[in-house]
Amino acid sequence: MENPLPLQPVDFILQRDVLCTLPPLGTVLRVIVDRCNEKLGINFLKSNRWVKLINIRCELHAALWHAVLMPFTRVCYLSDEDDIVLQRMSQYDERRKSKWGWMPLSSFPWSSDIAETDYPNVPFVSLMRALANPKVIGKFHCVVRVVAAFPWLAEDFRSPSGVYRIRLTLEDPTARIHAYLYKEDAEQFFDGYPSVYTLTKKRNLLLGTSEGDDGSEMNDHFRNPPWIRCCLKSYHIDDSDSWGSRNFRIFATTMKV
């Protein structure tokens, strides 16, 4: 997409210490609470408790799913021994202990083969696990979707001096991040320096964008980006503010088309 997507809802940006308390597996569903919902008693809910939300409406905002509480929504606590809770915890523990259980469920039975990494046998982790990593510097093997690219035009992927510098927006069910393709890592990703036409086709394939018969991009709002495997490394660009200047970069990953 040409217009950058927000990583989080602008009005609900979560700090790192809050992100680190979220489960690294599963789907993050943002619940919007406003003054109209005060009678539901949401403000009195306790943290770290299981709750059941009944009759909510799910809406898509900036390509992020939100749960909207309605006047007829009901909220109730669940005991840790409730059958629903025990079932969810059992499924969670099973996935967490599995080598491939960290893959998004919607990517099963396997992710797309349009990209491969140099470390196929390394277990996957979620983007939330990468965000909550206790160290600034780290390396991660993930299954993600590419939902935006900047710059958008393939002819702008490289600087006037010929160096690749692209920012991709990646997401999985747990989080959305920016990750950069830069220099030699981008050279490996695109298999060298293909033509603008080929780069455009690769970009459209990554973002699930439809093409016309002549290879041109169609104005299609119903994109379906494939789930791809990629290696990510985190680093910082300011020694005095390592967490605040933390970035992610794609490496050891190659598109096979």
Side-chain angles (χ1 to χ4, degrees):
M1 294 180 66
E2 187 170 3
N3 296 322
L5 294 173
L7 299 185
Q8 300 183 48
V10 176
D11 297 333
F12 303 96
I13 295 178
L14 298 178
Q15 300 300 318
R16 171 180 160 75
D17 58 340
V18 177
L19 287 175
C20 290
T21 65
L22 298 178
L25 267 178
T27 299
V28 174
L29 180 63
R30 298 154 182 85
V31 180
I32 299 176
V33 180
D34 55 31
R35 292 182 179 179
C36 298
N37 306 127
E38 289 181 353
K39 66 178 182 179
L40 297 176
I42 296 294
N43 295 334
F44 299 100
L45 288 178
K46 298 179 181 179
S47 60
N48 297 320
R49 289 288 304 274
W50 285 91
V51 297
K52 184 176 182 179
L53 301 176
I54 305 171
N55 293 328
I56 60 174
R57 184 176 69 193
C58 292
E59 297 179 350
L60 203 58
H61 297 280
L64 291 170
W65 282 105
H66 295 72
V68 180
L69 302 182
M70 310 300 292
F72 45 82
T73 296
R74 294 294 177 265
V75 182
C76 61
Y77 281 118
L78 294 179
S79 164
D80 290 346
E81 302 303 319
D82 188 281
D83 288 342
I84 295 177
V85 173
L86 294 176
Q87 181 185 37
R88 297 297 185 272
M89 288 303 301
S90 175
Q91 293 172 343
Y92 175 82
D93 290 338
E94 183 178 349
R95 287 188 62 190
R96 186 171 54 85
K97 296 175 183 178
S98 170
K99 181 177 181 180
W100 309 119
W102 291 78
M103 293 176 59
L105 291 178
S106 55
S107 71
F108 282 130
W110 198 246
S111 56
S112 170
D113 59 359
I114 68 170
E116 66 179 21
T117 70
D118 294 348
Y119 305 97
N121 295 320
V122 174
F124 298 116
V125 298
S126 66
L127 292 182
M128 185 64 74
R129 170 59 68 86
L131 285 171
N133 193 56
K135 296 182 179 180
V136 174
I137 298 175
K139 294 182 178 180
F140 316 94
H141 198 204
C142 302
V143 176
V144 301
R145 302 196 310 168
V146 181
V147 295
F150 181 82
W152 176 253
L153 297 178
E155 52 261 41
D156 297 328
F157 281 1
R158 288 190 282 162
S159 68
S161 61
V163 177
Y164 280 114
R165 72 282 189 276
I166 309 159
R167 188 190 71 189
L168 300 180
T169 304
L170 311 180
E171 72 173 17
D172 72 2
T174 66
R176 178 183 287 175
I177 68 169
H178 290 320
Y180 294 90
L181 276 170
Y182 187 61
K183 286 188 174 181
E184 66 277 2
D185 293 325
E187 292 177 20
Q188 176 179 350
F189 189 82
F190 292 120
D191 193 21
Y193 297 91
S195 66
V196 170
Y197 174 80
T198 300
L199 281 176
T200 300
K201 291 186 71 68
K202 287 176 179 284
R203 180 207 65 189
N204 291 344
L205 187 60
L206 275 176
L207 278 88
T209 303
S210 300
E211 294 183 346
D213 294 336
D214 59 353
S216 61
E217 173 198 351
M218 298 177 64
N219 186 14
D220 185 1
H221 295 289
F222 300 98
R223 297 183 303 106
N224 186 25
W227 291 102
I228 66 167
R229 302 179 294 278
C230 73
C231 291
L232 295 173
K233 55 185 175 184
S234 60
Y235 59 97
H236 61 83
I237 57 178
D238 184 353
D239 290 338
S240 63
D241 184 18
S242 57
W243 283 110
S245 64
R246 190 188 192 207
N247 287 326
F248 289 91
R249 183 167 159 180
I250 296 174
F251 77 105
T253 306
T254 307
M255 286 195 70
K256 303 304 294 181
V257 293

